[in-house]
Amino acid sequence: MRIAVLLSAGRHAVSGRPAPVPVELQAIRLAHDLGGEVTGLHAGPDAAPLKDTLGHGLPRLVHHRITVADDPLPSLAAALIEGAFDLVLAGRTGQGGEDTGLLPYALARQLSLPLVPDAAALAEGPQSGTLSVEQALPRGARRRLVVHVPALVTVHPAAPAALPFAFAAARRGAVEARPGLVAPRAPTQIEERPYRARPKLIAKAAAGASAAERLKAATEAASGGGRLLVDPLPEEAAREILTHLRDIGVLRSR
Amino acid sequence: MTRPRKNPRTERAAHRVEGGARPRFDLAATAKETGRPRRDPRGEERLALVPGTARRRLDRTQRIAATAISQAPAPSAEAAPTVRIIAEPAYLVAVVPDASGGRLTPHDRQLLGAARILADAGGGAVLALAEADDLASAGADRVLALPVAGYDPEAKALAVQAILAGLDIRHALFPESPDGGDLARRLAAMTGEELFAGAESLSPKAVTRAAQGRRIEQRRAPPRLISIKADAVAAHSGARHEARPVEFGFPAIALGAILSADFIPADPAKVSLAEAEFVVSAGNGVSDFNAFRALVAALNATPGASRVVCDAGLMPRAAQVGASGTVLEANCYFALGIAGAPQHLQGVARCEHVVAVNTDLHAAMIERAGLAVVADAQQVMPALLKLLDKEAGG
Ligand SMILES: Cc1cc2nc3c(=O)[nH]c(=O)nc-3n(C[C@H](O)[C@H](O)[C@H](O)COP(=O)(O)OP(=O)(O)OC[C@H]3O[C@@H](n4cnc5c(N)ncnc54)[C@H](O)[C@@H]3O)c2cc1C
Ligand SMILES: Nc1ncnc2c1ncn2[C@@H]1O[C@H](COP(=O)(O)O)[C@@H](O)[C@H]1O
């Protein structure tokens, strides 16, 4: 299977220095475990921060050189058509750029590939030419989907951890530079300013509110006092509790 | 506990009969009450005294005592709810809540709150594109269910695209949740419109989001497609809206590329406490831990515990709920024999539903709970197990 992993130029979450995006390293691991020929693709002005990805199990990285003002979409689309890949893996969202997670969707649309979001595990499908994707849902649940390849799959942070960095592999790996396509970005109305943390509107849920506020939110009743049963028979109490749990939908009736 | 405040001088003046040279008093006349009633501190204290405890304890909130007396909540308060009707909206604000299982999540309610902000700014109406109970109180004016069954995001996006093209929709709002965010991005790719993904604040004039790893804030006037993060906008708390179903002729929608989709529920025994959906937790009031573990398994829940229990080695440390343990994201928390110390309640702050069993009527956990049972946990647990067993058998 020929697999392409899309790698963006990220920034470290804490230091802000150029670094690979963790979820894309996890994508490399998923591709590595699936087996086959894995190629990294990057479109951007500089591939130096992505050298580290070679140490995390990526044998080959193709860098399409474009300027900062260019849109990476046409370059990546052209590279994916030329490479005729069976599977394209991307991160859920980047880290350090726009961080919208829109690029894989636009790319899938342009190449008319089916897109499967939030993969936590990949395996060969039941028939040949299919892929079974385990999708990460909130609260530890999963959804197993089967799609035809070629497909584009985005990877969720719940996927297995990235392969550890190996210096020899990083030296062995090759970065190939090619010219990208010139495609100036469309102007937007967006204004940018330095990030300012704003007070959370909902003090109840705020993680950063003051200690007194959090204590108040934590200790006061959720809905102004609920139902109260004083000294019921154990059977009556059990019945009440079960009906309440069914009413709020946490108890799946078997 | 209170009786009228007595003022002998005004009483005397009230009994006094007008006229005559000598002062004359008619003692049969009643004095009219004046001023504030007089407090009876001893009576108040007697009422606030918590019975059945070894130490002298006062509960001055009196909330519990009041609810204990009036057992069933009076339905008269919601006898005639006022409904706000927007008959001729200038435009529509569409909302696509997740509403998994026909139930609005807190995030969905915040989304409807955001839609109300955008709709009320110009006389618009809110159109909810899902079927769920409670849409009226969450602030939806119109309801339209999407004709998509099962997991098929591509078909869902096509249906929403048809609505965007067919109706006068000024904004479409999506939750920035796994499924909602996916749908919003599919739609943006499909229509070629700009999506403002993961908005962190919203007003009729501007939306903002974080970019570049929270170093930059991006801001613009609200575009058509917006996805909103959780806890960014307050839910609608005003009058009910009518939530009137509307008709729409959907075009025939081809099936998406997904060949099969199976839902695999999380194994509650393995899922981490922070991710768990339903937590059953034991405190110092639980002594029968075999029954507790059996109950946790029977209810298909994740086990938790208070610090006292973990300190005693009766439950693993990883099960500790609270400020120095795990802060839960669970939907429901079932506390057995837990007093509800502030350190413990902080861990439960984000749980929507709390059920408590405690012998102490005045425990803070009882006050926090949506369903509170004042009973012995050692008797309730076997009763619950027996009932669950009977239901599974019959
Ligand atoms: C810095 C700090 C951090 C802390 N962090 C945490 C934390 O993260 N998590 C945490 O849990 N605690 C924490 N604590 C401890 C916390 O203050 C309380 O001591 C603890 O939560 C009390 O646990 P409990 O409610 O199980 O026990 P108790 O306070 O002993 O309460 C037992 C309750 O069970 C009831 N009961 C007794 N018998 C029965 C019965 N037969 N049936 C039903 N009910 C019965 C009693 O009425 C009582 O309400 C912390 C404390 C400190 C100082
Ligand atoms: N310039 C780029 N070159 C290669 N892949 C990219 C680039 N930008 C984004 N991607 C991929 O698209 C995903 C989502 O990025 P974004 O839309 O920027 O959040 C990333 O995790 C990458 O896998």
Side-chain angles (χ1 to χ4, degrees):
Chain A
M1 196 180 257
R2 287 168 58 79
I3 305 176
V5 182
L6 302 185
L7 300 167
S8 61
R11 285 181 176 276
H12 192 269
V14 178
S15 69
R17 291 167 60 92
V21 179
V23 71
E24 293 167 14
L25 297 180
Q26 291 176 294
I28 295 175
R29 194 226 167 117
L30 285 183
H32 179 269
D33 290 356
L34 202 58
E37 188 191 330
V38 184
T39 311
L41 283 182
H42 172 63
D46 181 18
L50 291 171
K51 286 251 166 66
D52 274 359
T53 57
L54 297 171
H56 289 281
L58 186 73
R60 179 162 162 262
L61 172 66
V62 182
H63 171 211
H64 292 263
R65 238 182 289 105
I66 52 173
T67 62
V68 188
D70 280 335
D71 188 357
L73 186 64
S75 306
L76 290 174
L80 288 176
I81 290 171
E82 191 203 301
F85 294 100
D86 296 319
L87 178 63
V88 185
L89 295 181
R92 185 170 202 274
T93 57
Q95 174 181 304
E98 288 272 300
D99 305 351
T100 53
L102 271 165
L103 184 119
Y105 288 85
L107 206 53
R109 184 84 196 154
Q110 195 157 339
L111 302 177
S112 328
L113 291 177
L115 185 142
V116 181
D118 296 343
L122 298 178
E124 299 272 342
Q127 300 104 33
S128 70
T130 59
L131 179 77
S132 152
V133 182
E134 212 163 276
Q135 193 181 37
L137 298 180
R139 305 194 186 285
R142 297 278 188 268
R143 198 189 276 138
R144 190 169 297 133
L145 306 171
V146 178
V147 283
H148 276 298
V149 289
L152 199 157
V153 175
T154 67
V155 176
H156 192 268
L163 293 169
F165 181 82
F167 182 70
R171 292 227 14 202
R172 224 181 302 121
V175 180
E176 220 175 280
R178 296 185 190 169
L181 298 179
V182 179
R185 277 175 219 268
T188 62
Q189 293 181 25
I190 289 181
E191 267 175 64
E192 296 196 337
R193 45 175 83 173
Y195 186 73
R196 174 173 64 89
R198 24 185 96 243
K200 285 263 170 102
L201 282 167
I202 301 155
K204 247 194 141 38
S210 77
E213 268 175 15
R214 270 180 298 151
L215 182 61
K216 188 161 161 287
T219 47
E220 76 189 4
S223 50
R227 257 163 66 69
L228 179 71
L229 305 175
V230 183
D231 287 332
L233 288 177
E235 288 73 34
E236 190 190 332
R239 212 164 31 247
E240 284 288 340
I241 291 170
L242 283 192
T243 12
H244 183 75
L245 292 180
R246 294 231 162 84
D247 281 353
I248 59 182
V250 289
L251 205 61
R252 276 175 236 113
S253 41
R254 289 173 289 175
Chain B
M1 134 168 77
T2 52
R3 48 199 157 100
R5 184 182 289 266
K6 271 193 147 186
N7 184 343
R9 261 176 255 274
T10 47
E11 260 174 34
R12 203 172 134 95
H15 291 313
R16 186 166 185 148
V17 179
E18 296 298 322
R22 281 195 301 131
R24 276 181 57 213
F25 297 96
D26 173 11
L27 291 185
T30 47
K32 58 178 186 300
E33 282 178 25
T34 54
R36 289 180 294 126
R38 186 177 166 179
R39 279 186 59 209
D40 177 5
R42 284 195 195 83
E44 277 172 17
E45 202 163 296
R46 244 192 332 272
L47 272 184
L49 204 62
V50 176
T53 48
R55 277 183 301 131
R56 186 178 133 83
R57 242 179 81 194
L58 297 176
D59 176 39
R60 295 206 188 264
T61 59
Q62 306 244 328
R63 269 187 44 205
I64 298 295
T67 40
I69 293 162
S70 64
Q71 277 274 331
S76 62
E78 27 175 9
T82 51
V83 177
R84 205 177 136 215
I85 291 175
I86 299 175
E88 301 268 301
Y91 55 88
L92 291 173
V93 178
V95 169
V96 192
D98 281 339
S100 56
R103 217 173 267 279
L104 290 181
T105 62
H107 194 172
D108 290 340
R109 286 177 192 280
Q110 293 162 8
L111 199 67
L112 280 153
R116 279 253 67 90
I117 294 177
L118 292 178
D120 289 343
V126 175
L127 169 69
L129 299 179
E131 232 159 35
D133 23 300
D134 256 18
L135 278 170
S137 64
D141 299 300
R142 308 278 188 275
V143 179
L144 176 57
L146 298 176
V148 180
Y151 178 73
D152 195 349
E154 199 66 32
K156 205 168 171 186
L158 282 170
V160 178
Q161 190 192 17
I163 292 171
L164 285 187
L167 298 176
D168 174 23
I169 292 189
R170 189 174 288 183
H171 302 287
L173 307 187
F174 302 84
E176 185 65 24
S177 60
D179 283 352
D182 176 50
L183 182 66
R185 287 175 176 81
R186 279 180 201 272
L187 203 61
M190 215 176 255
T191 58
E193 274 180 60
E194 193 183 335
L195 166 72
F196 200 81
E200 293 189 339
S201 79
L202 177 136
S203 70
K205 291 238 175 64
V207 279
T208 68
R209 68 182 294 268
Q212 300 190 8
R214 297 198 164 267
R215 264 157 246 279
I216 296 278
E217 181 181 276
Q218 297 184 329
R219 167 188 199 89
R220 61 161 294 173
R224 195 145 98 123
L225 304 181
I226 307 173
S227 75
I228 297 179
K229 285 221 163 135
D231 297 339
V233 185
H236 173 65
S237 58
R240 289 171 68 85
H241 285 253
E242 55 176 336
R244 171 149 58 89
V246 291
E247 297 286 318
F248 185 77
F250 285 101
I253 290 167
L255 287 182
I258 286 164
L259 300 180
S260 80
D262 307 311
F263 181 77
I264 310 168
D267 182 358
K270 283 203 200 112
V271 74
S272 78
L273 208 51
E275 270 194 323
E277 161 104 42
F278 175 30
V279 178
V280 177
S281 193
N284 205 13
V286 172
S287 54
D288 184 358
F289 275 85
N290 289 331
F292 172 70
R293 274 185 276 268
L295 181 65
V296 170
L299 287 174
N300 214 352
T302 308
S306 78
R307 178 164 168 180
V308 177
V309 171
C310 294
D311 281 352
L314 295 165
M315 289 287 284
R317 179 64 72 194
Q320 181 179 325
V321 172
S324 50
T326 306
V327 176
L328 301 182
E329 293 282 338
N331 183 12
C332 178
Y333 185 67
F334 183 9
L336 289 151
I338 295 180
Q343 292 91 354
H344 188 87
L345 284 178
Q346 271 175 37
V348 194
R350 297 181 64 114
C351 298
E352 202 185 339
H353 303 284
V354 176
V355 178
V357 174
N358 199 312
T359 42
D360 180 5
L361 173 61
H362 301 273
M365 205 74 210
I366 290 277
E367 192 169 330
R368 170 70 174 75
L371 173 66
V373 179
V374 178
D376 189 342
Q378 266 60 245
Q379 287 172 12
V380 173
M381 285 192 294
L384 269 170
L385 278 171
K386 214 192 284 168
L387 193 61
L388 282 167
D389 225 29
K390 206 169 83 192
E391 283 178 6

